[in-house]
Amino acid sequence: MLKDSRLLRVFNVVLQRLLTDILTAELAVHDLSKAQYDALRYVAHTDVHASRCDISSLASALGTSVPAATKMADRLQAAGWLERQDAPHDRRHTLLKLTAQGEAVIDQLAGCTERALQKFLEQLPTAEREQLVSGVSSFLKHALQQPNLQNICLYCGETHASECPLAVD
């Protein structure tokens, strides 16, 4: 058997690969990249929370440049998932909003990794699944007390501010 720390590293790699493969397959059905999906999720989040999403805020949320975010918005608009609107307070700014088709894609993809992971977990014998869940819960309880881990989004696992704009799903 592997040492505990190595076992956790291998578990992390296997879990990441499993989730990435699931999401990649689902995104391929819609001809979306992961970056495009993240952009749509961010715009959807701003729609839900009555914020205004413009190219600058999209670039900031995705950690990319304004020109790169503009190209992303262009591709999403060409695909029919995103529309641009003049900002009512300043016509020099353009706001981004999901189209009905964009909302439908987000709805279809919502929770795809969680559903697939749940199916995988259901294949485990009940006792082993309960042990895994108990062990992971205990690990997280203790690990999240570390100062450098307290900003981890408990939804998506990324380090974000108090409200994760990419945790819409």
Side-chain angles (χ1 to χ4, degrees):
M1 189 65 163
L2 298 172
K3 284 183 168 181
D4 292 348
S5 60
R6 183 170 180 180
L7 181 65
L8 287 175
R9 283 197 317 266
V10 171
F11 176 75
N12 179 49
V13 169
V14 169
L15 183 60
Q16 288 298 319
R17 190 164 299 162
L18 178 66
L19 294 176
T20 298
D21 289 351
I22 291 165
L23 182 59
T24 300
E26 289 291 324
L27 292 175
V29 169
H30 299 283
D31 197 26
L32 269 174
S33 70
K34 174 72 166 77
Q36 290 170 325
Y37 178 54
D38 287 344
L40 289 175
R41 287 174 49 200
Y42 180 78
V43 174
H45 171 80
T46 59
D47 282 351
V48 168
H49 291 88
S51 304
R52 298 286 187 198
C53 181
D54 60 15
I55 295 292
S56 295
S57 66
L58 178 63
S60 177
L62 297 177
T64 190
S65 68
V66 171
T70 300
K71 287 179 185 177
M72 172 84 64
D74 290 343
R75 287 190 297 270
L76 294 172
Q77 184 176 17
W81 295 319
L82 193 67
E83 63 183 29
R84 289 181 162 103
Q85 302 171 338
D86 288 334
H89 63 281
D90 187 348
R91 292 183 59 202
R92 292 174 296 173
H93 291 279
T94 302
L95 301 178
L96 304 174
K97 183 171 176 50
L98 291 183
T99 62
Q101 186 180 354
E103 290 175 7
V105 167
I106 291 295
D107 290 345
Q108 290 170 14
L109 291 169
C112 70
T113 54
E114 287 81 4
R115 287 189 302 273
L117 188 55
Q118 184 62 38
K119 285 181 187 177
F120 181 79
L121 290 172
E122 288 169 358
Q123 297 173 17
L124 294 175
T126 303
E128 290 179 14
R129 184 174 59 246
E130 289 172 354
Q131 285 178 328
L132 177 63
V133 169
S134 176
V136 170
S137 294
S138 179
F139 176 85
L140 289 174
K141 176 183 171 186
H142 294 285
L144 291 174
Q145 292 176 8
Q146 299 298 312
N148 62 334
L149 298 179
Q150 291 181 353
N151 288 334
I152 298 285
C153 173
L154 297 181
Y155 185 85
C156 68
E158 298 293 331
T159 303
H160 294 291
S162 60
E163 186 176 323
C164 173
L166 298 179
V168 176
D169 207 52

